[in-house]
Amino acid sequence: MLAHTRVTLIIGGGIAAYKCLDLIRQLRAAGASVTPVLTRAATQFVTPMSVAALAGSQVYQDLFDLKDEAEMGHIQLSRASDLIVVAPATADLMAKMVGGHADDLASTLLLATDKPVLIAPAMNVRMWQHPATQRNLAQLRADGVQVIGPNSGDMACGEYGPGRMSEPAEILAAIKAHSTPGPLTGKRVLVTSGPTHEPIDPVRYIANRSSGAQGTAIGRALRDLGAEVIFVTGPATVPPPEGVTLHPVETAREMLDACLAALPVDAAIMAAAVADWRVATDFIQKIKKGPQGIPKLDLSENPDILATLSSHAQRPRLVVGFAAETENVIAHATAKRARKGCDWIVANDVSPATGIMGGAENAVHLITAEGSEDWPRLLKTEVATRLATRIAEALT
Ligand code: CTP
């Protein structure tokens, strides 16, 4: 799939550098050739010897290594590839790229190249969330740098949150998507998927039957058309797509925060089945049976993520909501489109008899400003492909 693709892989100095060994292996298995460049800090995490052995190539490290200059000058090295991948892209490397520094081989290559650059950031959560890093990220995107990840999860430093480098398979999928540009190449699309879980107490929660199948298929279809997909998912039963920036969340409020943090995006596709209500009281301890009788749960309303994005100052150009109805599907969905202020509503009938919720198929109506279109009953993957194609048409 990546036959004849020449990748220059710049390995930055972070704990995630170890994942690059597997990335090199996967890239070569896909047919790419890999020219590795290590920063000085990277050699603290992976050895040049293991990188060279896996890449089957010389490892470049030093700007002033005369032997390398004789064989391949740094300018030539910066051009002798189809794509430059920076993984892990540390906070420092990102800052250097923004500042146009050229004080070592990696930064000089990045400044001298005329090739597309894809970075896979990895750093401590606080470093990632620091305004300086977020400013740098926005500038790199504005400069045309493609960004994959970071994912959210447990970090090597013991903290939890965004900062984990994307997995090698995810970076590979992004590289593949990049090397075959599609109609959504260069577009950022936010997708929500799955249910939300609203805690009742530390061991119980309110949930719904959404599997995340439709949202996952949409994320995958958008990625396949070249979009950079920011995938915010509740606890779904189907695994998330690869090659997207993954943000797992539990509750509606966490989902809203992750969506707001993803702005600006070109389009937002809100396929999640967000719980409308949460339990108003924070039960720190498990609710016990006892003489006080059956507990009473007071509910409060969750924020409406779709409506919030539809009226946001950084409103995406295209906002798509979903409507899960059990009767008067088109009338309810048309009213919902107006009420939420979104551009399109993908409406479906989720009555148990349809088998749609949790099933492989879906029968939807696309509600737009022009009216309603009835789509035939299709596999959820086919609905996703059709919707992604329509999104591409709307954004180009
Ligand atoms: N949605 C959201 N935030 C919420 C609730 C819903 O973003 N707190 C989004 C869903 O992702 C979906 C759409 O809004 O795109 C569904 O709207 P909703 O009002 O929840 O409708 P339904 O649950 O389908 O039905 P009902 O009208 O019965 O509430």
Side-chain angles (χ1 to χ4, degrees):
M1 263 248 247
L2 289 177
H4 313 303
T5 305
R6 297 163 308 163
V7 176
T8 295
L9 176 64
I10 295 179
I11 305 180
I15 185 70
Y18 79 92
K19 291 187 188 172
C20 285
L21 299 178
D22 191 28
L23 176 61
I24 294 170
R25 198 185 52 73
Q26 293 198 28
L27 277 166
R28 294 194 68 202
S33 64
V34 181
T35 303
V37 175
L38 262 68
T39 64
R40 198 143 62 90
T43 59
Q44 301 291 320
F45 298 93
V46 287
T47 69
M49 181 85 85
S50 40
V51 172
L54 282 164
S57 153
Q58 179 184 353
V59 173
Y60 294 88
Q61 295 182 74
D62 196 347
L63 189 54
F64 300 108
D65 185 331
L66 290 179
K67 184 168 164 289
D68 292 348
E69 277 304 300
E71 284 173 6
M72 184 184 262
H74 62 269
I75 298 296
Q76 197 188 338
L77 185 57
S78 75
R79 313 277 163 86
S81 63
D82 302 301
L83 172 71
I84 297 193
V85 176
V86 187
T90 59
D92 182 57
L93 254 176
M94 287 172 63
K96 276 182 166 171
M97 288 172 77
V98 169
H101 293 231
D103 59 358
D104 63 4
L105 181 58
S107 53
T108 305
L109 291 186
L110 287 161
L111 193 62
T113 193
D114 58 355
K115 293 297 181 332
V117 177
L118 184 150
I119 66 170
M123 65 197 72
N124 165 273
V125 181
R126 301 264 170 269
M127 290 169 75
W128 174 252
Q129 289 171 339
H130 195 284
T133 305
Q134 291 301 309
R135 268 198 311 276
N136 290 341
L137 177 70
Q139 185 58 54
L140 288 171
R141 284 207 171 106
D143 292 346
V145 171
Q146 209 199 327
V147 184
I148 166 95
N151 291 339
S152 294
D154 288 323
M155 313 266 307
C157 55
E159 291 189 42
Y160 180 91
R164 272 172 71 102
M165 189 171 88
S166 299
E167 296 304 318
E170 296 174 315
I171 299 174
L172 185 71
I175 293 171
K176 281 182 180 165
H178 183 92
S179 47
T180 44
L184 287 173
T185 298
K187 298 280 189 289
R188 257 167 80 74
V189 183
L190 169 68
V191 178
T192 65
S193 182
T196 62
H197 284 182
E198 308 297 329
I200 296 172
D201 68 12
V203 297
R204 304 178 177 99
Y205 55 84
I206 300 173
N208 61 64
R209 293 187 194 282
S210 167
S211 63
Q214 187 63 82
T216 299
I218 292 168
R220 205 170 270 137
L222 290 163
R223 177 205 67 195
D224 288 346
L225 294 186
E228 178 191 347
V229 176
I230 298 93
F231 194 74
V232 178
T233 177
T237 48
V238 300
E242 288 176 338
V244 300
T245 299
L246 186 63
H247 291 291
V249 296
E250 289 268 328
T251 66
R253 286 181 293 174
E254 288 169 5
M255 189 170 271
L256 174 66
D257 289 346
C259 289
L260 292 176
L263 297 178
V265 292
D266 296 286
I269 319 302
M270 308 277 94
V274 185
D276 291 317
W277 305 284
R278 66 177 182 275
V279 177
T281 331
D282 273 343
F283 287 101
I284 311 293
Q285 305 297 340
K286 184 178 168 217
I287 305 171
K288 303 289 285 178
K289 289 189 291 293
Q292 69 277 16
I294 298 173
K296 189 168 161 298
L297 296 181
D298 285 324
L299 299 180
S300 59
E301 194 160 344
N302 269 330
D304 190 316
I305 305 165
L306 176 61
T308 306
L309 291 188
S310 297
S311 61
H312 197 274
Q314 288 181 291
R315 186 192 196 278
R317 263 171 64 202
L318 181 70
V319 181
V320 182
F322 279 68
E325 309 288 350
T326 52
E327 56 175 353
N328 300 332
V329 177
I330 293 173
H332 280 155
T334 305
K336 191 164 289 174
R337 177 180 168 275
R339 198 166 62 243
K340 304 238 184 183
C342 58
D343 300 297
W344 302 347
I345 286 271
V346 180
N348 52 16
D349 184 346
V350 292
S351 310
T354 64
I356 281 173
M357 205 119 178
E361 293 180 343
N362 208 350
V364 309
H365 310 272
L366 183 68
I367 316 285
T368 68
E370 279 73 51
S372 135
E373 277 174 36
D374 303 336
W375 290 7
R377 194 173 168 109
L378 297 165
L379 286 170
K380 285 182 177 172
T381 48
E382 293 171 321
V383 170
T385 308
R386 209 163 155 157
L387 185 64
T389 307
R390 289 292 290 267
I391 291 166
E393 283 166 10
L395 289 183
T396 48

